[in-house]
Amino acid sequence: MDEAQFVELVWPGGQCGEETEPMQLPAEAVAVTALIEVVRISALPAERGVPYPGRVVAHWTGREAADALTLIGTLPDSGQYRCGFSPGWSIRAYEDSLDLALFEAAFCFTCHEVRMHGPAVPPALNTQFFDADSPSARTLLNLFRTAAPGPAG
């Protein structure tokens, strides 16, 4: 996706609508991310801090990874909704060594919650809320669905 498409998808007409606090990602990890795995989550993990089980449906590198992280960084803040946290998608960010994920972020588009974990995630960023109805969230969900054609979710 080129920059003009990104701006148009996130901010129709090139304008940002509401003034809200955007999603916070671990900045140092974002700066060194070389690869993002997109995961279609199949269940909740047995305990917090371990990877979400599921199938890796895409690998994003270079500009695609940078654009995805920029998009996630634009997700506006939201209040908490109650659904029991049932995320359908996660991303895992890796640096060049590809050893251990710097962070994983699991997205629940029903309760508007993101849970992050990994060695690069400070406690203040572990749980955040985003407006799942915002243009940037709809764009992110579309990117996830495009990465894994099949049943919507």
Side-chain angles (χ1 to χ4, degrees):
M1 159 180 353
D2 68 28
E3 188 172 85
Q5 290 172 313
F6 173 78
V7 170
E8 188 60 31
L9 287 171
V10 177
W11 297 298
Q15 299 298 313
C16 181
E18 302 176 356
E19 294 294 325
T20 60
E21 180 94 11
M23 174 72 55
Q24 294 182 31
L25 295 171
E28 291 178 10
V30 168
V32 297
T33 295
L35 171 80
I36 291 176
E37 289 182 333
V38 178
V39 178
R40 184 64 170 125
I41 297 173
S42 58
L44 291 176
E47 60 187 75
R48 277 196 167 215
V50 298
Y52 284 81
R55 183 171 59 96
V56 174
V57 297
H59 291 97
W60 295 338
T61 60
R63 180 65 185 224
E64 194 172 28
D67 287 350
L69 292 170
T70 298
L71 177 62
I72 292 166
T74 69
L75 295 175
D77 192 16
S78 173
Q80 181 177 7
Y81 292 77
R82 298 278 183 208
C83 87
F85 190 68
S86 183
W89 302 95
S90 78
I91 61 162
R92 296 180 188 140
Y94 295 87
E95 62 184 333
D96 285 328
S97 69
L98 304 178
D99 289 336
L100 178 66
L102 298 166
F103 69 92
E104 180 174 26
F107 297 84
C108 180
F109 285 84
T110 304
C111 67
H112 301 206
E113 185 173 341
V114 175
R115 291 186 186 171
M116 281 190 259
H117 65 92
V121 181
L125 302 185
N126 284 339
T127 302
Q128 298 181 59
F129 300 94
F130 68 102
D131 181 354
D133 297 318
S134 69
S136 52
R138 304 314 308 164
T139 299
L140 180 62
L141 182 58
N142 186 54
L143 289 175
F144 289 156
R145 288 176 173 165
T146 301

